[in-house]
Amino acid sequence: MCGIVGYTGSSQAAPFLIEGLKTLEYRGYDSAGVEILDASGRLRGVKCAGRVSALADRCKTEDLRSTCGIAHTRWATHDAPTDRNAHPHESCDGRIAIVHNGIIENYRALREELQARGHTFRSETDSEVVAHLVEETMSGAASGNLLEALRLATRRLEGTWAIVAMSADEPGVLACARKGSPLVLASTEGGAYAASDITALAGVTSHVLQLDDGQLARMLPSGEVAVYDEQGDAVAEPDSLDIDWDASAATLGGYDDFMAKEIAEQPAAIERLLEGRFADGRVLLDELTLSDEQIAQIDRVYVVACGTSLHVGLLARRLIERWARIPVVAVAASEFIYEDVLVTDHTLCVIITQSGETADTLAAARKMRAAGANVFAITNVLGSTAARESDGVLYIKAGPEVCVASTKAYTAQMVAASILALLLAQKNGSMATGEVGRKFRELRHVPDLMRTVLDRSWQAKAAAHDFEHASSALFIGRAANSATASEGALKLKEVSYLHAEAYPAGEMKHGPIALLEPGFPVVAICPRDNVRDKMFSNIQEAIARGATCVAVATDGDEDVAAVASRVMWIPECPDNIVPIVAVLHLQMLARYVALARGCDVDKPRNLAKSVTVE
Ligand code: M6R
């Protein structure tokens, strides 16, 4: 996790560094720090526990005038989020400073070794060893060449890293290295930039260079960026990417918080995603780089993801099995490494990941590729590791998702999974062309159905009152909407810190019903579908035990209205569309409950948006 930025050029560094950290703060917000090379040739840093706003306040009273600097926002992996453990970290002589994103797995051994050679450590972090190793190589084999010093230092490291280093002995030069953690660079007339992801660079360039694993780069004040491989040889044509995101897409634009903004953006995101995906009676998905014959032969699909994206995976499993008649295993990526996988020549692995950087999901994808499966990624972030390491990638085009709690990516990923399922069904002949067209037209109605639900936000706001004095809540649903229940419970937990549990409604009687007592909130997803009557029975069972039932039901279902304490209404829609539409009420409910409890909905405690550790 963690976000890093670096700049060297002709402008003042600090404003970009602080703004860059604010953009990357979703990656971690336990502590933050900035380091510059001052006019007297000394490295000077300011760092503190807490958020980037706390760092920005401190920086106001410091003289940070410099045209070269590095900065970091941290999600703590090793030891407490204190001032001392905040990055950047310096070498003993204070002439090297580094920021690091990733985990140095062999740091204990390296630390002992460096201490035995007289190095003094100021923090408990794994990252600090990098500053001391570079200090040694800089004054040794690399003889004053920062990039070479960093290259030699990284040969001693095990684990993952994106590192930006600066040295008082090579003023204006930044050296970068990457293995397993993302890092993008930009070369502009005004200078050279580095950042953990493109959102931090969207305001300065529309073209970025992407370091591959093992690569390093030297950045100069002229804006020049030179990329090298592990052996130190120049890379003639490093990977690059054009950014088509509008920088303003990552700003609040008049909304109170990013969660509100991103919930509201869902209809437009789905419209963008569906554009150009259907013509002449056929679903268009050229990104799946398999021949028609290979697609028709797919005999098994693994869907692997984490968190909210895993809930999309649960829906994807149903759609692919129902429409394309292919057996699907949907599994949490964090558990996947313990699974025995059954890969044939015709196995497809679908990874679903908003950030494209989730370490567990990437590890699962690598395992499947190594076993011979074709890996297809559904992701939001252009040029992310998931995109780059997969055989094919479908971008969901939701735009930057800043709020740590995923909302617009969730629904866009569900629509993306629907497109994939239709494509598979069409190509293997499980679904007639006319039926594929009908299903696709249903997807086209999703944006308007969503707008109807968004116009009813007052219903979720009113329902939030039922959670004011609760210490726990139960979410129940059946069939596809048991995943909706899981997503609703996850959203509530992560933004409001209220304990919530999701259960398939039919399982309630096998245990969770013991929780129920007068006033206990039960959120029941009860649309008018083929399991509606069974869900209605479950609602009655809960109410009979005194539970306060907040239902999501289809317009006009008076039976539900008669028994539930509150109803959040959805318009009539096909079964496969309900999960994409109903969840909007649950997203809004979670936000309203969180606001009532005084929580920061965009940056929930302990979380980071991009979970780059396993
Ligand atoms: O970027 P990814 O989709 O791979 O992220 C997976 C999970 O970390 C993520 O969905 C997480 O559960 C969110 N905070 C949910 O809102």
Side-chain angles (χ1 to χ4, degrees), residues 5 51 74 120 140 178 238 252 258 310 315 317 333 368 374 391 431 450 492 515 526 535-536 538 573 586 603 605:
V5 278
R51 301 207 167 168
R74 178 171 187 242
T120 305
R178 180 201 172 194
L252 275 173
F258 281 104
L310 177 61
L315 186 80
R317 178 183 74 75
M368 288 303 275
N374 186 282
D391 298 296
M431 195 184 272
M450 286 177 152
L492 188 67
L515 291 170
C526 185
M535 264 311 296
F536 187 65
N538 298 134
C573 43
L586 304 184
K603 299 189 187 80
R605 68 186 178 206

Side-chain angles (χ1 to χ4, degrees), residues 2-342:
C2 304
I4 60 181
V5 278
Y7 171 75
T8 180
S10 51
S11 303
Q12 287 299 308
F16 165 74
L17 296 174
I18 298 291
E19 283 311 304
L21 288 190
K22 285 182 185 163
T23 310
L24 295 178
E25 200 173 13
Y26 70 86
R27 301 178 67 88
Y29 31 84
D30 287 335
S31 64
V34 60
E35 185 120 0
I36 52 96
L37 179 72
D38 73 13
S40 67
R42 277 181 43 234
L43 297 182
R44 285 203 305 116
V46 182
K47 53 189 197 174
C48 58
R51 301 207 167 168
V52 175
S53 55
L55 175 73
D57 285 346
R58 284 214 190 173
C59 288
K60 283 181 193 151
T61 57
E62 300 277 339
D63 180 3
L64 291 177
R65 277 174 296 174
S66 172
T67 55
C68 180
I70 56 178
H72 187 277
T73 180
R74 178 171 187 242
W75 187 85
T77 55
H78 288 78
D79 296 300
T82 59
D83 288 2
R84 268 157 57 91
N85 289 338
H87 296 219
H89 293 293
E90 288 183 356
S91 55
C92 299
D93 61 7
R95 299 191 69 73
I96 306 285
I98 64 98
V99 286
H100 166 232
N101 171 30
I103 292 187
I104 307 301
E105 288 164 1
N106 59 337
Y107 85 100
R108 284 183 198 282
L110 289 172
R111 188 179 169 113
E112 280 169 20
E113 181 189 314
L114 287 158
Q115 282 171 328
R117 288 203 291 272
H119 288 265
T120 305
F121 280 74
R122 301 186 184 95
S123 77
E124 288 85 43
T125 65
D126 55 330
S127 308
E128 194 183 339
V129 296
V130 179
H132 296 278
L133 284 172
V134 174
E135 180 179 25
E136 286 196 348
T137 50
M138 186 85 177
S139 58
S143 64
N145 176 335
L146 179 63
L147 185 81
E148 180 62 4
L150 180 61
R151 188 181 78 82
L152 295 175
T154 55
R155 284 165 56 167
R156 301 291 322 278
L157 305 179
E158 290 167 19
T160 56
W161 56 84
I163 298 167
V164 185
M166 64 193 296
S167 165
D169 297 319
E170 253 199 295
V173 173
L174 295 181
C176 315
R178 180 201 172 194
K179 187 191 153 218
S181 299
L183 192 62
V184 289
L185 310 173
S187 167
T188 76
E189 280 184 6
Y193 297 81
S196 292
D197 86 37
I198 58 174
T199 51
L201 301 184
V204 297
T205 185
S206 57
H207 185 76
V208 295
L209 299 176
Q210 297 178 289
L211 287 190
D212 275 336
D213 273 352
Q215 289 185 337
L216 299 103
R218 177 187 282 119
M219 299 161 54
L220 299 177
S222 61
E224 189 188 324
V225 176
V227 178
Y228 299 87
D229 64 18
E230 269 166 310
Q231 283 69 47
D233 296 326
V235 176
E237 286 190 28
D239 270 5
S240 63
L241 182 74
D242 290 323
I243 310 177
D244 62 0
W245 280 356
D246 171 8
S248 67
T251 63
L252 275 173
Y255 285 88
D256 290 342
D257 49 75
F258 281 104
M259 187 172 189
K261 181 180 184 233
E262 288 159 10
I263 288 172
E265 285 174 344
Q266 293 178 95
I270 304 299
E271 275 163 356
R272 269 197 306 275
L273 174 57
L274 288 174
E275 208 178 301
R277 291 284 164 200
F278 191 77
D280 302 327
R282 309 201 72 78
V283 174
L284 303 177
L285 188 54
D286 291 346
E287 294 91 334
L288 184 61
T289 53
L290 293 172
S291 67
D292 284 2
E293 193 187 352
Q294 286 172 315
I295 294 176
Q297 286 176 334
I298 293 172
D299 58 1
R300 184 188 310 261
V301 177
Y302 283 88
V303 182
V304 195
C306 293
T308 284
S309 296
L310 177 61
H311 299 151
V312 178
L314 300 177
L315 186 80
R317 178 183 74 75
R318 286 176 184 277
L319 295 179
I320 295 171
E321 287 190 339
R322 176 169 299 174
W323 292 347
R325 315 304 297 167
I326 305 170
V328 182
V329 177
V331 60
S334 53
E335 287 292 306
F336 195 66
I337 44 172
Y338 314 117
E339 297 270 322
D340 288 332
V341 288
L342 306 173

Side-chain angles (χ1 to χ4, degrees), residues 306-309 352-358 361 404-406 413 487 490-491 494 607-609 611:
C306 293
T308 284
S309 296
I352 305 174
T353 166
Q354 186 285 134
S355 63
E357 301 295 347
T358 299
T361 306
V404 166
S406 183
Q413 286 173 160
E487 178 58 12
L490 175 61
K491 233 47 341 151
E494 66 180 336
L607 295 178
K609 184 141 191 84
V611 186

